[in-house]
């Protein structure tokens, strides 16, 4: 497919990017790639190996040992770190607390972006993250920049974690989100910033169905053009 469609969804931590990206991919049969899961899996590897996540040289030295793969099933993120499924473990606090430091490293970003661009070269794809519309796919047909009230974001993530991790408090989740927003927007290497041509989507008061409809409307012209 040469005129493949790329949908880039960027925005703050826990504001529903992956919910929207998955719903779009399912509806349109696009491939969904959760770029954050890649940074999270790298972070998990470093934690397990006791490597200081701020030591760029040490991280760089092991990057070639980290092999990431997605296996597509039911539009959920199934990420394999050196052939081990780590989709659940990467969502836990030890990773959340360190991932933004890892994602600020130039060598890590360089490698992840290269892999992400390869995935979107010839297929219809929805990718969510922080730099998808600015760095990974600056020519994406549709770019969405998502945001929502930080309290609402914390409550949503808290609810998601509660069933399996009742020990995590709402305050911890809120602090972590605020901290990651700060690191992501102020880092030197491709910080989180709205691309000039990205459409802002504030979903504080939107249901998942409403945000899906919003995105589908923006995509419609490109879907029609591809049909022909
Ligand atoms: O799902 P949530 O919003 O909590 O975050 P995520 O998408 O899993 O991403 C985790 C972290 O990875 C973010 O806080 C960023 O520091 C980093 N990230 C990034 O720098 N660039 C991306 N394209 C995606 C994630």
């Amino acid at each position: 497919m040469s005129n493949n469609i790329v949908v880039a969804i960027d925005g703050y931590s826990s504001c529903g990017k992956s919910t929207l990206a998955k719903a779009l991919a399912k509806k349109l049969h696009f491939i969904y790639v959760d770029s954050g899961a890649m940074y999270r899996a790298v972070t998990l590897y470093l934690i397990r190996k006791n490597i200081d996540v701020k030591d760029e040289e040490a991280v760089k030295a092991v990057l070639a040992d980290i092999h990431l793969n997605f296996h597509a099933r039911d539009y959920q993120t199934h990420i394999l770190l050196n052939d081990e499924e780590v989709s659940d473990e990467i969502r836990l606090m030890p990773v959340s607390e360190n991932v933004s430091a890892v994602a600020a490293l130039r060598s890590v970003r360089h490698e992840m972006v290269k892999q992400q661009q390869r995935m979107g070269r010839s297929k219809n794809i929805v990718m969510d993250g922080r730099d998808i519309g600015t760095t990974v796919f600056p020519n994406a047909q549709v770019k969405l920049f998502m945001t929502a009230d930080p309290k609402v974001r914390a409550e949503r993530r808290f609810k998601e974690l509660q069933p399996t991790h009742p020990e995590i408090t709402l305050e911890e989740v809120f602090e972590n989100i605020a901290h990651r927003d700060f690191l992501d927007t102020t880092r030197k290497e491709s910080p989180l910033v709205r691309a000039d041509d990205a459409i802002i989507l504030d979903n504080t008061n939107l249901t998942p169905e409403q945000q899906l409809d919003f995105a589908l409307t923006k995509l419609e012209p490109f879907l029609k053009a591809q049909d022909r």
Side-chain angles (χ1 to χ4, degrees):
M1 194 184 293
S2 56
N3 64 338
N4 61 308
I5 299 172
V6 175
V7 184
I9 304 181
D10 290 301
Y12 297 97
S13 295
S14 308
C15 64
K17 299 182 298 293
S18 71
T19 305
L20 175 59
K22 276 179 217 164
L24 271 176
K26 192 169 180 179
K27 177 111 190 162
L28 303 171
H29 303 288
F30 279 25
I31 289 176
Y32 164 53
V33 179
D34 174 351
S35 71
M38 298 170 72
Y39 292 96
R40 286 176 177 272
V42 172
T43 306
L44 178 63
Y45 180 91
L46 299 173
I47 293 173
R48 284 178 174 178
K49 296 274 178 197
N50 273 318
I51 294 168
D52 177 358
V53 297
K54 292 197 178 85
D55 182 346
E56 172 120 47
E57 284 311 309
V59 173
K60 212 169 156 180
V62 297
L63 268 184
D65 302 333
I66 305 177
H67 302 284
L68 302 178
N69 275 300
F70 285 97
H71 67 93
R73 216 197 312 134
D74 55 33
Y75 300 99
Q76 300 300 319
T77 296
H78 295 283
I79 189 162
L80 303 181
L81 165 61
N82 295 338
D83 293 329
E84 175 193 351
E85 162 113 30
V86 291
S87 313
D88 293 330
E89 200 174 345
I90 59 166
R91 301 287 153 207
L92 299 182
M93 283 320 247
V95 171
S96 294
E97 279 162 1
N98 288 289
V99 62
S100 290
V102 174
L105 301 176
R106 188 189 171 91
S107 51
V108 173
R109 299 209 73 81
H110 188 85
E111 182 54 34
M112 295 302 112
V113 169
K114 204 168 71 186
Q115 294 191 18
Q116 289 153 6
Q117 287 174 334
R118 208 179 298 136
M119 294 179 211
R121 200 163 289 155
S122 58
K123 297 185 180 105
N124 286 337
I125 188 170
V126 186
M127 194 177 287
D128 73 334
R130 303 292 185 287
D131 60 340
I132 311 304
T134 50
T135 304
V136 184
F137 297 116
N139 296 324
Q141 287 86 343
V142 174
K143 299 181 187 178
L144 298 171
F145 189 83
M146 289 181 68
T147 179
D149 182 302
K151 276 200 196 125
V152 173
R153 292 194 262 140
E155 275 157 20
R156 287 178 187 157
R157 179 56 53 99
F158 176 66
K159 267 193 207 145
E160 220 171 74
L161 289 166
Q162 264 277 298
T164 44
H165 298 279
E167 73 286 358
I168 299 174
T169 66
L170 178 60
E171 288 68 36
E172 269 179 297
V173 175
F174 183 84
E175 288 302 318
N176 175 255
I177 287 176
H179 186 57
R180 281 197 287 136
D181 283 352
F182 173 75
L183 294 179
D184 293 346
T185 50
T186 56
R187 71 179 175 220
K188 272 224 308 271
E189 284 297 320
S190 44
L192 170 63
V193 56
R194 183 179 76 85
D196 291 339
D197 52 349
I199 304 156
I200 295 179
L201 171 52
D202 182 333
N203 71 1
T204 307
N205 297 307
L206 294 184
T207 64
E209 292 72 30
Q210 287 170 326
Q211 69 178 12
L212 176 62
D213 284 346
F214 179 92
L216 285 171
T217 311
K218 303 295 170 198
L219 254 159
E220 219 163 48
F222 301 100
L223 295 169
K224 279 198 184 129
Q226 200 173 55
D227 271 352
R228 269 187 264 129

